[in-house]
């Protein structure tokens, strides 16, 4: 208690005394931190541009565990700064003893908050219609890197798809199976095997989808 936590583009997690503004502790990661640390039951969780997720003791900054979400230890220059080609830019979502995060290699992970052990991981894919000089060249399925925050809702995980026509994807928090993918022009689509045609939800705008929750 009594601490404010921030992460910076310099890759440093800082805990600041709320009453005085003085630095209590700081911890270094190997890449820029784009999302604020997540605080849960005395621990601070943070995703870094180096492709790792870190868990610290909130009061002292002691490193409890770290997990490499990137498939390999590699660095590339991005706007004059070295970082992983597969950063953890989603931040860390903690819900009911599980930490969720996504990496730039299109994988979403669910790990145990106590020790970082993987409970499940899933690769996010999306249909993509290729174009050549504005002529459609066919539809294929490709991996989709995730760079936005994750949202937990009613034992499900909402994933923001950053490219293509799709906007949102809902996955079951227990196991990561896809529930549906939302395309703005088509409405919410039930994933294969998730239900019959009659069971598909009504078409809603992205705003209506969120407000309905």
């Amino acid at each position: 208690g009594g601490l404010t936590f921030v992460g910076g583009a310099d890759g440093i997690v800082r805990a600041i005394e709320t009453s005085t503004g003085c630095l209590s502790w700081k911890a270094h990661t190997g890449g820029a931190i784009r999302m604020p640390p997540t605080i849960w039951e005395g621990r601070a969780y943070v995703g870094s541009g180096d492709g790792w997720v870190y868990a610290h003791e909130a009061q002292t900054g002691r490193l409890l565990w770290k997990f490499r979400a990137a498939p390999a230890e590699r660095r590339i220059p991005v706007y004059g700064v070295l970082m992983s080609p597969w950063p953890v830019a989603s931040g860390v979502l903690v819900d009911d003893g599980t930490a969720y995060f996504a990496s730039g290699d299109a994988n979403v992970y669910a790990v145990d908050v106590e020790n970082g052990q993987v409970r499940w991981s899933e690769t996010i894919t999306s249909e993509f219609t290729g174009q050549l000089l504005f002529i459609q060249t066919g539809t294929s399925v490709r991996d989709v890197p995730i760079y936005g925050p994750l949202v937990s809702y009613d034992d499900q995980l909402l994933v923001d798809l950053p490219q293509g026509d799709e906007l949102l994807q809902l996955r079951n928090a227990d196991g990561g199976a896809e529930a549906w993918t939302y395309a703005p022009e088509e409405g919410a689509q039930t994933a294969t095997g998730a239900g019959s045609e009659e069971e598909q939800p009504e078409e809603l705008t992205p705003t209506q989808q969120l407000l309905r929750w």
Side-chain angles (χ1 to χ4, degrees):
L3 296 176
T4 298
F5 298 85
V6 295
D10 56 3
I12 300 177
V13 185
R14 293 175 172 87
I16 301 168
E17 294 181 4
T18 306
S19 59
T20 65
C22 295
L23 181 68
S24 177
W25 60 262
K26 64 180 180 180
H28 293 260
T29 74
I33 299 171
R34 300 302 182 189
M35 291 297 210
T38 298
I39 311 304
W40 188 81
E41 293 195 356
R43 301 179 183 87
Y45 301 89
V46 64
S48 173
D50 62 3
W52 289 75
V53 170
Y54 300 81
H56 295 272
E57 192 175 74
Q59 284 299 313
T60 66
R62 179 172 64 93
L63 181 65
L64 301 174
W65 55 261
K66 63 179 184 177
F67 177 89
R68 194 184 77 190
E73 194 68 40
R74 190 180 303 167
R75 297 290 185 272
I76 60 173
V78 179
Y79 298 113
V81 178
L82 289 177
M83 63 184 297
S84 171
W86 313 281
V88 180
S90 66
V92 181
L93 170 69
V94 177
D95 186 28
D96 195 24
T98 300
Y100 303 93
F101 47 86
S103 67
D105 68 342
N107 284 317
V108 174
Y109 294 90
V111 306
D112 191 307
V113 293
E114 299 286 347
N115 51 33
Q117 294 297 310
V118 176
R119 291 182 171 173
W120 58 260
S121 66
E122 284 287 333
T123 301
I124 303 297
T125 60
S126 171
E127 285 192 357
F128 170 72
T129 301
Q131 290 188 340
L132 180 62
L133 296 178
F134 305 104
I135 300 174
Q136 291 189 355
T137 58
T139 300
S140 60
V141 176
R142 64 178 178 183
D143 294 348
V144 181
I146 305 300
Y147 299 113
L150 307 177
V151 177
S152 176
Y153 169 74
D154 193 23
D155 293 329
Q156 298 187 90
L157 196 64
L158 189 65
V159 181
D160 181 18
L161 301 181
Q163 57 192 33
D165 292 332
E166 286 124 338
L167 178 69
L168 300 171
Q169 190 171 95
L170 194 71
R171 289 182 169 262
N172 296 322
D174 184 14
E178 181 182 343
W180 52 254
T181 296
Y182 179 87
E185 294 182 358
E186 301 175 8
Q189 302 297 312
T190 302
T192 302
S196 66
E197 187 74 21
E198 291 74 24
E199 294 172 338
Q200 293 185 8
E202 62 183 300
E203 293 187 5
L204 298 173
T205 67
T207 301
Q208 288 172 328
Q209 287 274 0
L210 296 176
L211 289 178
R212 185 165 211 176
W213 296 342

